[in-house]
Amino acid sequence: MFLRNAWYVAAWSSEVNDQLFTRRILDTPILLYRKTDGGIAAITDRCPHRFAPLHMGKRRGDVIQCGYHGLCFDATGTCIENPVGNKLIPKAAKVASFPVVERDQLIWVWMGEVEQADTALIPNFGILSSPDWVHGTGGYLHADCHYELMVDNLMDLSHVNFLHPAFGNETMLASKSDVVDEGRKIHANLWMPNTDVPAFMRDSFVDQPRIDQWLDMQWTAPSALLLSFGGTTPGQAREAGIQGWAGHILTPETDRSTHYFFSMSRQGKGAEEAVALGFATQLRVFGTEDKPMVQACQDSMGDAEFWSLKPVLLSNDVAAVRVRRRLAELVKQERAAGVSTSPMSTV
Ligand code: FES
Ligand SMILES: [Fe+2]
């Protein structure tokens, strides 16, 4: 159950150049390449003749020639040449093209009805375009699990105490997220007053044993999450302390696998070192702690639908459950409106 009328991150800008880049999104193979004018083309990576992946073909300017029998497609997916036999171009010789927006170092594709593509629905990652922050971008992991299990993991940070003990503490364990619902946006704000200074902030609070700390997670439909984190001297404004942003963007590859894009942004003295360290830590922690656990949950669930297993709900599940229900509502609404579930719906 994918939400089709939505923007998904297909790749980091840095991943797509003049070479042919392929990535499966919502179970649809997509071919991405940077056109000669610098814009991004996104077309189905499957020739309509014998279904050869087009990324195995050749690029001639902005035209892609299939590597099997030579059909040529332009950046809109229209077949413009058939070099074989009578050289006629059958009407059906075309592939889908997808609306693309490159913004905030990310390449967003619209996977639904072309006429509904609304750039106002692109999740806001403007922080990644701000020159006032130092950014670590290009983070990518592949996980063998349904993307909603990864969203659950991020919307309920109570797992930190157990899965990442180096980052948790008693105050975090006892704190409860404040959930704010804004429709296509849901926030889980965790405020932890007078808590131990976590290791990654110790250099900034040398003589202080305690700080006020926050972890504010924001979900934007369908699966883009942005964490505001930081700490300050107890009782002082957040701005007076240490602040950072961590992007966690999930794109379904299939119903059992997920692309995980992540970033880190810091500000102020020592920001470069903090980003380098924070980014390396994210890669290690997500890759060796979150990913194996969430994949193991998926293996344990098999092909069963999440709610059919009657999961036990705890007080800290409020935000994650709210997100699941909102996503289900959005999917239901677009099904009721007749939006096709076909992965090739934009042909
Ligand atoms: S499979 Fe592409 S031209 Fe035959
Ligand atoms: Fe985690």
Side-chain angles (χ1 to χ4, degrees), residues 47 49-52 54 66 68-71:
C47 180
H49 176 225
R50 288 293 175 271
F51 313 116
L54 288 173
C66 179
Y68 202 1
H69 312 94
L71 286 179

Side-chain angles (χ1 to χ4, degrees), residues 153-154 157 159-160 163-164 285-286 290:
N153 176 59
L154 291 158
L157 295 177
H159 77 266
V160 169
L163 200 52
H164 321 301
V285 169
F286 302 157
D290 293 288

Side-chain angles (χ1 to χ4, degrees), residues 63 68 96 123 138 190 196 217 267 275 306 342:
V63 170
Y68 202 1
L190 192 59
D196 292 335
M217 188 67 85
Q267 202 176 30
V275 163
F306 178 78
S342 160

Side-chain angles (χ1 to χ4, degrees), residues 277-345:
L277 183 64
F279 199 65
T281 304
Q282 278 180 309
L283 185 60
R284 178 178 57 75
V285 169
F286 302 157
T288 65
E289 296 176 357
D290 293 288
K291 177 175 143 163
M293 178 59 86
V294 181
Q295 288 183 158
C297 293
Q298 175 73 75
D299 289 346
S300 151
M301 291 167 63
D303 288 330
E305 193 274 326
F306 178 78
W307 293 111
S308 75
L309 293 174
K310 301 199 178 355
V312 167
L313 298 181
L314 307 176
S315 61
N316 40 290
D317 286 323
V318 173
V321 168
R322 188 74 66 95
V323 165
R324 276 187 175 270
R325 297 217 160 115
R326 183 59 35 79
L327 206 43
E329 281 162 24
L330 291 170
V331 171
K332 201 171 156 195
Q333 280 165 18
E334 68 172 31
R335 294 293 176 277
V339 177
S340 168
T341 56
S342 160
M344 303 298 171
S345 62

